[in-house]
Amino acid sequence: MLPTATLLTVLALVKFLSGQCLLFASLAARSFLIYLDIQHSTNKVKTRVISHMIAATIGWFTYLIIGPGYPSA
C-alpha cells in the first residue's frame, strides 16, 4: 500500500507543480523495483538519490546540448 501511495503522491505533485501529466522514465523503473522487492538493496534511499541525480544531470546536459522541446526529451 505504501509504494502505491508514494507513487500517486509523486504524480500528483508533478501535476500540481508543473501543470503537466508526466511520468519520468526513472520513476517508472523505480516503481517496478519497489513493487518487485521492497527490501532489495537497490531500493535503498542512497541508491535512489544517486541514480536520480545521475539521470537529472544527463537530462540537463542533453537540454543544454540539444535545447528545449521534444528532441531533448
Side-chain angles (χ1 to χ4, degrees):
M1 181 69 181
L2 183 59
T4 302
T6 304
L7 180 61
L8 292 176
T9 302
V10 169
L11 289 175
L13 282 172
V14 168
K15 172 69 174 165
F16 177 74
L17 295 174
S18 68
Q20 299 179 4
C21 295
L22 13 131
L23 180 64
F24 301 99
S26 59
L27 179 60
R30 179 64 56 200
S31 299
F32 173 76
L33 290 174
I34 290 171
Y35 278 108
L36 184 65
D37 183 8
I38 198 166
Q39 300 298 325
H40 196 272
S41 64
T42 58
N43 292 326
K44 291 183 180 178
V45 173
K46 178 183 174 185
T47 306
R48 282 185 270 170
V49 169
I50 291 171
S51 64
H52 283 275
M53 291 303 295
I54 290 171
T57 303
I58 291 171
W60 185 66
F61 279 117
T62 302
Y63 172 80
L64 290 176
I65 293 168
I66 298 175
Y70 287 107
S72 63

